[in-house]
C-alpha cells in the first residue's frame, strides 16, 4: 500500500502539493484505491474518492502505532562520504525521532554553514525512508551544531559510545535498565571518536558512557548499533 504524509483532521485528508503530484502523476492513483497517510503521529487508511479534484476519505486508523513510545534522538559527528545519509536512512527505519549532526574536535568534514545542501539532502532521506517503512512521522534533522551545545541538552537519559569503554564498560542494554526512558539521547563521535577532554566533558554533563561490545566499531556502525539496541529494548517493554 502506498504511503504518504499529510494532515488528517475530522475525517478530512490534506496532502501537500508535492505529495499530491506524486500520488496522481508518478504513482497514477486510481479511483477507489486505498493508501496510507501519516499525520505526524498516527497512520490512517484512506480511500481515493475523487481524482479531479483529489479527495480522500479516512477509512480508519492503522492496526497498531508505528512510532516508538520513547523519543529517541541520535546525535552524530558528521562523517565523510555518504555515511551521514546511511545513518539517517537506517536510523529512521529503526524508529529514531530526530537527528542532530554535530562538529567536534576530530571532525574531518566541516560544513561552512549551519544549513547546506547536504543537510537538505539528509532531510529528504529521512522523508523517503519514513515512507518506505510506513512511519507516522518524518524524523527531524537539525542544523549542524557544535559539540558544546550537546552538553546542555536535557533528555532523561543521555548516552555516548566511547571506545575506551569497550571490554570493560557497561553495555548499552544494561545501562537502559531501571531508568526513566521518557526521552533518550545517543551521541556518536566522528571517525576519530572523542578526545579525552570531550569524553570528560560529556561525563561531567551527565552523559553515561556505554560499551558497544568487544570490538571497535566504525562510527556509522556504532550509530545503528545503538539505535537497534534502544529500539529492541523499548519495544520489548511495550
Amino acid at each position: 500500500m502506498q504511503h504518504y504524509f499529510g494532515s488528517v483532521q475530522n475525517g478530512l485528508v490534506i496532502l501537500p502539493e508535492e505529495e499530491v503530484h506524486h500520488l496522481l502523476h508518478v504513482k497514477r492513483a486510481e479511483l477507489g484505491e486505498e493508501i496510507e497517510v501519516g499525520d505526524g503521529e498516527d497512520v490512517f487508511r484512506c480511500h481515493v474518492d475523487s481524482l479531479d479534484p483529489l479527495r480522500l476519505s479516512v477509512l480508519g486508523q492503522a492496526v497498531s502505532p508505528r512510532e516508538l513510545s520513547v523519543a529517541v534522538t541520535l546525535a552524530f559527528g558528521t562523517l565523510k562520504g555518504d555515511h551521514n545519509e546511511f545513518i539517517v536512512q537506517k536510523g529512521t527505519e529503526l524508529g529514531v525521532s530526530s537527528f542532530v549532526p554535530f562538529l567536534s574536535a576530530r571532525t574531518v568534514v566541516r560544513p561552512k554553514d549551519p544549513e547546506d545542501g547536504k543537510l537538505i539532502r539528509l532531510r529528504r532521506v529521512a522523508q523517503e525512508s519514513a515512507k518506505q517503512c510506513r512511519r507516522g512521522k518524518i524524523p527531524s534533522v537539525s542544523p549542524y551544531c557544535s559539540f558544546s551545545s550537546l552538553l546542555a541538552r536535557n533528555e532523561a537519559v543521555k548516552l555516548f559510545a566511547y571506545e575506551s569503554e569497550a571490554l570493560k564498560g557497561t553495555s548499552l542494554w544494561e545501562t537502559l535498565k531501571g531508568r526513566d526512558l521518557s526521552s533518550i539521547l545517543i551521541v556518536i563521535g566522528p571517525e576519530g571518536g572523542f578526545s579525552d577532554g570531550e569524553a570528560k566533558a560529556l561525563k561531567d554533563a551527565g552523559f553515561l558512557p556505554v560499551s558497544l561490545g568487544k570490538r571497535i566499531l566504525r562510527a556509522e556502525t556504532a550509530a545503528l548499533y545503538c539505535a537497534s539496541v534502544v529500539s529492541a529494548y523499548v519495544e520489548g517493554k511495550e
Side-chain angles (χ1 to χ4, degrees), residues 58-80:
V58 176
L59 296 176
Q61 196 166 332
V63 176
S64 60
R66 296 175 186 166
E67 297 301 315
L68 294 179
S69 59
V70 174
V72 179
T73 297
L74 179 57
F76 59 94
T78 55
L79 304 174
K80 295 182 292 185

Side-chain angles (χ1 to χ4, degrees), residues 150-194:
L150 292 177
L151 302 179
R153 295 186 67 100
N154 59 359
E155 280 80 359
V157 175
K158 301 184 292 185
L159 311 166
F160 74 104
Y162 189 35
E163 60 189 40
S164 294
E165 296 294 313
L167 297 177
K168 65 177 183 178
T170 304
S171 72
L172 174 55
W173 188 276
E174 289 297 321
T175 302
L176 294 173
K177 288 183 177 180
R179 298 187 182 278
D180 169 17
L181 299 182
S182 55
S183 59
I184 301 173
L185 171 62
I186 306 164
V187 180
I188 306 294
E191 287 92 347
F194 295 111

Side-chain angles (χ1 to χ4, degrees), residues 4-7 13-20 23 35-38 54 56:
Y4 297 86
F5 288 100
S7 172
V13 183
I14 300 175
L15 298 182
E17 185 176 338
E18 63 177 27
E19 293 285 64
V20 172
L23 174 62
I35 65 171
E36 286 187 342
V37 176
L54 178 65
L56 306 170

